[in-house]
Amino acid sequence: MSTRNERSILAELNPEQREAALYFDGPLLILAGAGSGKTRVLTYRVALLVASGRADPGRILAITFTNKAAEEMRGRIHRLVGPRAAAIWISTFHAACARILRREAERLGYGRNFVIYDDEDQLRMVNRVMRDLDMDVKRFPPRMVRAMIEKAKIDMVDAEEYGRRAQDDLTKTVSAVYRSYQEQLLKNNAMDFDDLLLNTIALFELYPAVLEHYQERFSFINVDEYQDTNPSQYRLVRLLSGKHRNLCVVGDDDQGIYSWRGADLRNILEFERDFPEAKVVRLERNYRSTRTILEAANHVVSRIAGRKDKRLWTDREEGEPIRYLFAPSGSEEAAFVASEINRLVEERGYRHRDIAVFYRTNAQSRPFEEVFLRAAVPYKIVGGFKFYERKEVKDVLAYLKFLLNPTDGISLRRIINEPRRGIGETTLAYLENYSRKEGIPLWEAVRRAGEVRGVGAAARRKLGEFVELMEDLSRRMEEKPLPDFLREVLERTGYLEALRREGTFEAEGRLENLEELLGAAAEFFAAHPGEGLDAFLERTSLVAEIDLYDEEEGAVTLMTLHNAKGLEFPVVFIVGMEDGVFPHVRCMDSEASMEEERRLFYVGVTRAKDLLYLTGAATRSQYGDLRVSPESRFIKDIPPRYLEVVSSFQWDREGARLTEAVYRAEALAASFRVGDRVLHEVWGEGMVTAISRGRSGPEITVNFPAVGEKLLLLEYAPIRKVG
Ligand code: ATP
Ligand code: MG
């Protein structure tokens, strides 16, 4: 692959973009609307720094919002400047911090081989701490406590500070858990996601010389999606750029959609206050969307108060109108989307992967999945089912985490009896008690099981075998190529064997997932020779939802609007356009959260290149209840001249067929109520006692005096209402 010189790189930017990409003398803010090339400028700017020899690749830091975006950026820069791209730090905030802490964690009392706890590990730890502290988990559900700790961390409030501020029972409880949780994490040599940021900040604040080293090192810092930075990310950026002040941030205040996770729009709006000497560049030309889509988006966003006004224009054609359908029911909405997708593919040459369906919350995907299955539309869900969250994958990763870091008690607890080896809860309780009393890691207690009172002879023998196995594996870890080692772990721990013996359909699926994991490991180590197990584990724990999305696949993408940030698709459907769904009912009572909802709508609309569909449904059936909603107020933000309203007679025959299949069952469910009297062809009269959703469609439970209670599949049951 030939690398390119500065001039040919610059030829692919317009004059404003060029100006931004070539400005290297201090802080730079690129504040511009969607699709104007912000990410492109950032990418090209980094390439130019390398191509011109102005910066050593290892001294450039580029921050993206997801790992996937980082990979895309690296790929593009590689195409522009060749293998030199490899040395550039391109990653998310979390991954960059993890990388720094791998070198420096010892200063904070952690080992360099610390493990990263994900949501589930976190919850387990909160649970354990609460149990140890004898707390009432009914009154203070661990999930809630975890969320409050997370919130505190996002606001950079540490356990001590939190304790000082605690007033009522709830916050006092959380404060005690928070403190003990952090102690436990340190003891287990583990950090959660937020700790990655907070510990890096602590490192820099405690060790000025270390900070200075990294300030010196990163002479050019670039941050994409800056509008969604939270306080700790903001702090990090300020610390790191404090010396050179060569900080380039790009973003769009109209696309701030993460305030619910602590992001603060002021970070971008007040950039010029933080860096008075900053140069500000605005980009106004949109390269992504047709004129119709762009104009509609401009109208949506113009209704937001207090924004920095910016108008986008495009050279693209006017394009087709935005199609809008407000269907009588959710099933008809889904059937319309499916039949429209089939039409676009068959008649207009779009590929499935050109098409995306966005919704407000994950749970909305279900009706679309059902219809897509019936209509043979290939689809994939981003964020719905996460590979690395599957039990068997997490179990095996826990083995690896533990082998790498035996002080990690959470992982040890997860695997010690998985697969079953006769080490029961009671034995574990004795061991944990012992480890607490002696102030030693759980693993140490397991090794000393002989001295632990209460652990019987049989359990001792089993623990002894387990210790031997783990110690042997840990020796093997050094000798074997890692993918082979992984397979050895799967075999020798009996994990695969247990699944094979189970022989169920589900176990087969789990085995397939483990094969997939072995494949992922082989792929990883082939791509990163010389990296160790820790690098692989880090990779797996940092894979955000979005990263499982692979655009080579020929499938329609289903995802939430939040996940769609930064992406673009030729065809976009935004579904569930109803008041209460989108805007979400929880956001409708405050002005600020309504504005965020509107920005989310803007993000959705501006993902579309050629065609945009908005759809909603007047009714949705939920377990036999019918929920009625008005159309989304956001529809009124778009002037009617851009909309083409779809009415039902325009549907093709397939739409009608699909609608009928799905709709018949749903309508039927909605037509019955608990307490209704029904007549069955064989069993005679009875009374409805429940209506539910089964695997194959709605079900009804009827109590017949003649034969008792019966569960029937509504679609096929020979019953009718009487009376
Ligand atoms: P968002 O706000 O959605 O993140 P963005 O401002 O980052 O958008 P990009 O994704 O960088 O915009 O660019 C949008 C599209 O326009 C991309 O397909 C990009 O390749 C294209 N594009 C940007 N600038 C140019 C240009 N000068 N010439 C040709 N295509 C361009
Ligand atoms: Mg972008």
Side-chain angles (χ1 to χ4, degrees):
M1 195 183 312
S2 71
T3 62
R4 314 243 311 261
N5 65 24
E6 252 183 295
R7 246 185 74 200
S8 88
I9 294 175
L10 282 170
E12 291 176 16
L13 300 175
N14 70 31
E16 294 76 37
Q17 293 175 332
R18 221 172 285 159
E19 188 190 355
L22 282 176
Y23 185 81
F24 301 122
D25 307 319
L28 169 65
L29 165 67
I30 305 172
L31 184 69
S36 57
K38 295 184 296 299
T39 302
R40 186 176 173 114
V41 169
L42 200 78
T43 308
Y44 278 58
R45 177 183 154 83
V46 171
L48 284 166
L49 278 169
V50 175
S52 65
R54 191 179 289 265
D56 183 34
R59 302 184 61 161
I60 303 173
L61 174 65
I63 298 287
T64 58
F65 205 70
T66 59
N67 293 326
K68 176 176 162 54
E71 238 151 63
E72 252 166 35
M73 191 177 285
R74 189 182 300 284
R76 170 136 307 174
I77 295 176
H78 186 99
R79 282 196 293 283
L80 294 172
V81 303
R84 281 175 293 177
I88 307 170
W89 282 50
I90 307 175
S91 72
T92 61
F93 274 112
H94 287 95
C97 288
R99 200 166 161 186
I100 292 173
L101 290 169
R102 286 276 168 236
R103 306 176 182 187
E104 317 284 351
E106 279 162 13
R107 298 177 198 266
L108 298 172
Y110 292 85
R112 291 183 192 195
N113 58 346
F114 63 87
V115 290
I116 302 171
Y117 279 0
D118 62 13
D119 289 3
E120 208 184 298
D121 299 327
Q122 255 184 340
L123 188 61
R124 206 169 303 119
M125 184 57 102
V126 167
N127 252 311
R128 207 177 86 189
V129 165
M130 291 185 74
R131 216 181 48 220
D132 287 351
L133 296 175
D134 255 338
M135 282 171 170
D136 183 354
V137 290
K138 291 232 168 56
R139 196 164 156 224
F140 307 110
R143 270 176 201 283
M144 179 181 81
V145 174
R146 179 190 62 177
M148 291 178 69
I149 294 175
E150 229 169 46
K151 174 82 175 69
K153 288 187 169 189
I154 283 170
D155 294 336
M156 293 201 293
V157 176
D158 63 15
E160 225 166 280
E161 173 70 26
Y162 196 92
R164 273 196 296 277
R165 293 190 199 170
Q167 304 245 338
D168 48 21
D169 272 6
L170 174 62
T171 45
K172 281 184 183 151
T173 305
V174 173
S175 155
V177 179
Y178 189 180
R179 183 182 300 266
S180 169
Y181 170 86
Q182 286 309 129
E183 284 167 9
Q184 284 301 322
L185 248 56
L186 187 60
K187 239 189 223 158
N188 283 274
N189 196 21
M191 301 186 194
D192 63 25
F193 278 110
D194 299 313
D195 284 346
L196 293 174
L197 297 172
L198 295 180
N199 284 336
T200 308
I201 292 172
L203 172 79
F204 289 160
E205 287 178 343
L206 287 169
Y207 298 94
V210 176
L211 171 62
E212 211 170 310
H213 168 81
Y214 285 96
Q215 283 179 331
E216 187 56 45
R217 164 161 196 148
F218 296 123
S219 36
F220 290 93
I221 300 175
N222 307 274
V223 186
D224 199 1
E225 305 277 5
Y226 189 71
Q227 76 280 359
D228 275 324
T229 43
N230 69 24
S232 54
Q233 293 165 337
Y234 174 76
R235 180 100 193 99
L236 264 173
V237 169
R238 304 249 8 215
L239 283 167
L240 277 175
S241 61
K243 180 148 191 265
H244 289 292
R245 294 175 84 82
N246 278 324
L247 169 66
C248 165
V249 304
V250 318
D252 176 5
D253 53 314
D254 293 334
Q255 293 186 69
I257 54 176
Y258 276 94
S259 76
W260 56 287
R261 269 203 212 156
D264 191 344
L265 272 180
R266 277 176 306 185
N267 293 346
I268 194 161
L269 293 176
E270 294 174 7
F271 188 79
E272 292 161 83
R273 188 205 58 196
D274 295 338
F275 296 91
E277 78 273 35
K279 178 178 176 68
V280 182
V281 173
R282 291 175 203 278
L283 307 172
E284 293 180 329
R285 174 165 174 189
N286 173 295
Y287 287 87
R288 184 180 287 149
S289 310
T290 63
R291 216 160 63 229
T292 298
I293 293 170
L294 191 63
E295 281 302 313
N298 279 338
H299 276 93
V300 168
V301 86
S302 69
R303 302 183 54 115
I304 293 170
R307 62 186 281 266
K308 297 211 175 183
D309 191 38
K310 44 188 143 23
R311 281 240 139 213
L312 288 168
W313 65 276
T314 179
D315 219 13
R316 281 199 59 175
E317 72 283 7
E318 182 179 348
E320 295 177 35
I322 298 167
R323 306 235 149 72
Y324 172 54
L325 168 75
F326 196 59
S329 72
S331 340
E332 279 157 296
E333 178 197 21
F336 169 74
V337 172
S339 72
E340 200 59 18
I341 289 173
N342 280 341
R343 192 177 68 80
L344 291 170
V345 171
E346 278 156 26
E347 294 172 19
R348 301 198 45 185
Y350 284 103
R351 293 159 305 180
H352 284 113
R353 68 158 182 262
D354 295 332
I355 303 171
V357 177
F358 301 150
Y359 34 77
R360 178 65 180 79
T361 57
N362 271 312
Q364 285 172 261
S365 71
R366 193 197 50 81
F368 294 93
E369 288 185 72
E370 278 176 17
V371 179
F372 286 2
L373 285 170
R374 289 185 199 230
V377 173
Y379 71 91
K380 58 172 184 271
I381 293 190
V382 173
F385 201 46
K386 298 170 235 160
F387 180 74
Y388 289 104
E389 276 188 26
R390 292 174 186 156
K391 175 185 182 306
E392 59 281 10
V393 175
K394 296 203 65 174
D395 283 347
V396 171
L397 292 178
Y399 269 105
L400 300 182
K401 283 186 195 176
F402 168 72
L403 285 167
L404 204 65
N405 172 22
T407 48
D408 176 7
I410 291 270
S411 294
L412 175 56
R413 206 178 192 298
R414 184 173 182 115
I415 57 168
I416 194 163
N417 199 33
E418 190 67 64
R420 290 220 182 111
R421 35 176 88 87
I423 301 170
E425 278 302 317
T426 331
T427 304
L428 260 175
Y430 282 122
L431 292 168
E432 282 188 320
N433 206 7
Y434 184 80
S435 95
R436 251 193 315 276
K437 224 172 56 222
E438 299 290 313
I440 54 173
L442 180 60
W443 172 236
E444 209 36 54
V446 172
R447 284 164 46 131
R448 292 195 214 159
E451 310 164 22
V452 180
R453 269 190 35 193
V455 177
R460 248 175 236 177
R461 204 179 54 245
K462 285 170 185 147
L463 287 165
E465 283 166 13
F466 179 72
V467 168
E468 216 166 277
L469 175 63
M470 289 300 117
E471 286 181 341
D472 194 40
L473 281 174
S474 130
R475 277 191 296 276
R476 305 284 286 170
M477 184 163 58
E478 318 289 340
E479 310 163 5
K480 279 206 136 177
L482 287 163
D484 299 3
F485 172 69
L486 188 56
R487 187 172 286 279
E488 182 167 342
V489 170
L490 288 174
E491 290 291 354
R492 290 195 43 205
T493 56
Y495 202 94
L496 288 183
E497 186 49 35
L499 286 176
R500 287 190 197 116
R501 258 205 321 271
E502 198 181 318
T504 60
F505 184 69
E506 202 203 344
E508 251 163 55
R510 291 182 189 277
L511 283 167
E512 275 168 27
N513 289 336
L514 291 176
E515 283 302 325
E516 179 86 35
L517 180 65
L518 286 170
E523 213 175 278
F524 178 84
F525 292 114
H528 306 89
E531 289 281 15
L533 194 55
D534 49 352
F536 176 62
L537 285 175
E538 190 156 310
R539 170 59 200 254
T540 60
S541 50
L542 290 176
V543 186
E545 298 178 345
I546 192 81
D547 299 319
L548 299 173
Y549 160 79
D550 171 8
E551 63 207 272
E552 295 313 315
E553 272 175 54
V556 174
T557 303
L558 273 63
M559 60 164 86
T560 62
L561 286 152
H562 279 98
N563 272 337
K565 199 165 78 144
L567 304 180
E568 56 187 26
F569 294 89
V571 182
V572 166
F573 290 83
I574 303 179
V575 302
M577 294 296 303
E578 297 129 48
D579 257 11
V581 177
F582 188 37
H584 196 279
V585 62
R586 252 188 295 122
C587 304
M588 285 167 69
D589 49 9
S590 112
E591 193 64 31
S593 50
M594 265 308 288
E595 286 198 346
E596 183 145 311
E597 290 289 287
R598 190 166 262 118
R599 289 195 295 267
L600 190 57
F601 185 43
Y602 175 72
V603 168
V605 168
T606 52
R607 299 307 96 197
K609 291 173 153 181
D610 305 343
L611 298 177
L612 176 63
Y613 290 84
L614 305 173
T615 67
T619 64
R620 293 187 186 275
S621 77
Q622 291 176 319
Y623 301 101
D625 266 346
L626 208 61
R627 201 188 62 203
V628 181
S629 321
E631 66 176 16
S632 171
R633 64 191 63 186
F634 292 159
I635 295 295
K636 295 186 194 72
D637 292 358
I638 299 178
R641 64 178 179 282
Y642 301 119
L643 290 177
E644 178 186 300
V645 176
V646 179
S647 52
S648 50
F649 60 79
Q650 285 172 292
W651 300 15
D652 59 14
R653 208 176 287 149
E654 196 199 350
R657 182 181 67 76
L658 281 167
T659 308
E660 213 182 278
V662 183
Y663 186 59
R664 207 182 327 113
E666 297 285 350
L668 213 55
S671 69
F672 288 95
R673 291 273 178 282
V674 171
D676 281 353
R677 302 207 67 78
V678 297
L679 186 66
H680 188 276
E681 282 179 9
V682 181
W683 296 321
E685 233 183 84
M687 196 181 78
V688 178
T689 54
I691 296 163
S692 49
R693 180 182 297 288
R695 258 169 193 264
S696 331
E699 298 168 339
I700 189 166
T701 313
V702 182
N703 193 0
F704 299 100
V707 291
E709 210 158 68
K710 292 278 176 193
L711 178 71
L712 307 167
L713 200 55
L714 198 48
E715 218 174 331
Y716 305 105
I719 55 172
R720 63 183 169 85
K721 264 211 281 203
V722 292

